[in-house]
Amino acid sequence: MTALDLSSPVAVVGTGTMGQGIAQVALVAGHPVRLYDAVPDRAREAAAAIGARLDRLVEKGRLTAADRDAARARLRPADDLAELADCALVVEAVLERLDVKQELFRSLEEVVSPDCLLATNTSSLSVTAIGGALSHPGRFVGLHFFNPAPLLPLVEVVSGFATDVTSATRAYETARAWGKTPVACADTPGFIVNRIARPFYAEAFAVYEAQAADPATIDAVLRESGGFRMGAFELTDLIGQDVNESVTHSVWQSFFQDVRFTPSLAQRRLVESGRLGRKTGRGWYDHRDGAERPEPHTAEKQQPPAYVVAEGDLGPASELLAMIREAGIEVREEDEDNGTRLVLPGGGQLALADGQTSVEFRDVVYFDLALDYRGATRIALSACQDTGARTVSEATGLFQALGKDVSLIGDVPGMIVARTVARIIDLAYDAVAKGVATEEDVDTAMRLGVNYPLGPFEWSRRLGRTWACSVLDDLHQRDPSGRYAPSLALYRHSFATEKREGAS
């Protein structure tokens, strides 16, 4: 099944930001486009707004004047659904309410031809449930664009329970013909991105609720150590706290209140207070004119240790050993069967975050996971009230000698980046095992949909195939609610790897 022919008209119903964006994508690709909105004159206003954006593309040299004029000639607002009768594809981008969408598609089915492809851009509702209102649900599919649709490349092509393979394939190929990067997925709560991305927000909020660090520090660690484009607090302020919480709540409810997707009480209070982020001037941060952005916690300068003793190779943080030597600090190596730590001159230990806490051990400081320890500009350290001041000072001085800013946070298991990445990896394995998408499509979706520095499976291969399961096992022992229990898919993957390595 091939993409729709460019001569085939495409309709977009709903002319808000997303509807306009989808219409622009189809229009620039070369299709005649119909715009419809139930609110009188809204479609004409949207057509004018799209025309203005086309003008800006010409000004920026991204579109020729001739192509702009041709696109404008193909764009037509519609006053009635009957004007969409000749369309080969209708994409809906209306209010996120099941009854509203079902009623719309029932009306559309009476107007369009039997071979017209019907699609919803829903981000949180069941494609199967929306399509369940149709007499012919086989031609119904999800086409989930990401905002802003003209700029972001990802489109999740969602097959409902009754979607025909030919319909899904045609939708997939059409999205690709429009210059997008489509990924195929089954109809599951949150699809790929909004399902697997939940821990990025949830774990940041959990660290905050445990009073282990403030939003500015958590965001800085996620960016400067984890390699994420934005931190969870600044990103949700940009998205809108109400929008982000609504998606989280929808996924949680759709999974029958699965504890792995439990919403944040702190975010709920923010929404209740009307602090929704940039659009209201205040969210986690104050965005009002003249407001100062809070700085992340950064430790004062400390003297580096004269030497460290390396017990083991530090696993995912092994590149630190070469960096320490390059900084002029002696590394004394000792063979340890299970060693993954540094011993400091004062006798304290420095260990990579593993889901345990400092309070369980004598004089231990944990350091967080980094995407790339050489490239990282900040490292988080955690310690408990009983950790020796000298140990904290030496650990801080060591990372400062490597050119890093150091943020000291509370004694939370898994710290910030490690617990976040471990949970993202786990949800990715669980999704693939349940037939939601392929590993390749999951990695593509997370890199393009939310700008993650690596896809979950890329991260898993880099960290070691047992790393995430080990971290989550440790976290689960300290929080047996089930939130951190490794999925059966991740457990099987890790256990099979251990068996193979043991036999070699």
Side-chain angles (χ1 to χ4, degrees), residues 131-451:
L134 298 176
S135 299
H136 303 287
R139 60 166 164 178
F140 186 72
V141 66
L143 275 179
H144 181 215
F145 289 77
F146 288 75
N147 193 30
L151 297 180
L152 293 185
L154 185 70
V155 177
E156 292 177 319
V157 181
V158 186
S159 292
F161 186 78
T163 302
D164 291 336
V165 173
T166 53
S167 298
T169 303
R170 171 156 283 185
Y172 184 98
E173 294 300 332
T174 297
R176 184 157 62 178
W178 290 357
K180 297 301 182 181
T181 303
V183 292
C185 64
D187 183 24
T188 185
F191 310 140
I192 300 173
V193 172
N194 280 329
R195 172 178 179 154
I196 296 174
R198 293 349 291 164
F200 178 74
Y201 313 107
E203 295 312 307
F205 298 160
V207 172
Y208 168 77
E209 289 173 332
Q211 300 186 51
D214 60 273
T217 299
I218 296 169
D219 278 353
V221 172
L222 286 168
R223 288 193 315 269
E224 300 175 41
S225 183
F228 293 96
R229 185 74 60 87
M230 299 179 73
F233 296 90
E234 58 190 341
L235 180 55
T236 53
D237 265 3
L238 178 64
I239 294 169
Q241 298 302 331
D242 53 338
V243 174
N244 181 261
E245 196 220 20
S246 176
V247 173
T248 298
H249 196 270
S250 175
V251 172
W252 175 62
Q253 289 283 25
S254 297
F255 276 115
F256 307 104
Q257 300 186 359
D258 187 329
V259 69
R260 295 176 301 167
F261 302 101
T262 301
S264 161
L265 180 59
Q267 188 181 38
R268 175 92 290 266
R269 292 292 180 259
L270 205 65
V271 172
E272 290 174 338
S273 71
R275 297 186 177 187
L276 306 182
R278 289 183 179 272
K279 61 187 177 183
T280 60
R282 298 186 73 179
W284 296 111
Y285 298 106
D286 190 341
H287 302 280
R288 294 172 296 182
D289 291 342
E292 292 186 10
R293 178 69 177 262
E295 293 294 324
H297 175 273
T298 302
E300 294 182 0
K301 188 70 176 177
Q302 302 293 326
Q303 287 296 316
Y307 68 89
V308 295
V309 179
E311 296 185 349
D313 64 2
L314 296 188
S318 58
E319 63 183 322
L320 283 175
L321 297 180
M323 294 168 60
I324 293 169
R325 292 188 179 96
E326 291 164 11
I329 299 171
E330 180 186 358
V331 177
R332 304 173 185 174
E333 297 191 53
E334 292 186 1
D335 291 333
E336 290 284 338
D337 290 340
N338 296 310
T340 55
R341 59 192 174 185
L342 296 174
V343 180
L344 300 164
Q349 298 178 12
L350 187 59
L352 176 62
D354 58 6
Q356 301 183 83
T357 56
S358 293
V359 75
E360 301 170 56
F361 305 98
R362 181 183 175 276
D363 217 15
V364 169
V365 170
Y366 278 103
F367 66 95
D368 208 350
L369 180 70
L371 172 70
D372 170 14
Y373 282 98
R374 286 191 178 276
T377 57
R378 182 177 300 271
I379 293 293
L381 303 180
S382 70
C384 69
Q385 66 273 17
D386 297 326
T387 306
R390 178 176 176 181
T391 299
V392 175
S393 175
E394 289 178 339
T396 301
L398 175 64
F399 280 103
Q400 289 173 336
L402 304 184
K404 317 299 180 187
D405 287 329
V406 174
S407 291
L408 298 174
I409 70 169
D411 187 23
V412 286
M415 300 190 68
I416 299 171
V417 180
R419 69 197 287 168
T420 300
V421 171
R423 288 207 59 217
I424 288 170
I425 289 172
D426 181 56
L427 290 188
Y429 273 99
D430 183 56
V432 169
K434 291 176 178 174
V436 174
T438 65
E439 290 187 8
E440 181 181 4
D441 277 354
V442 167
D443 277 353
T444 298
M446 301 313 291
R447 281 189 284 101
L448 298 184
V450 278
N451 286 314

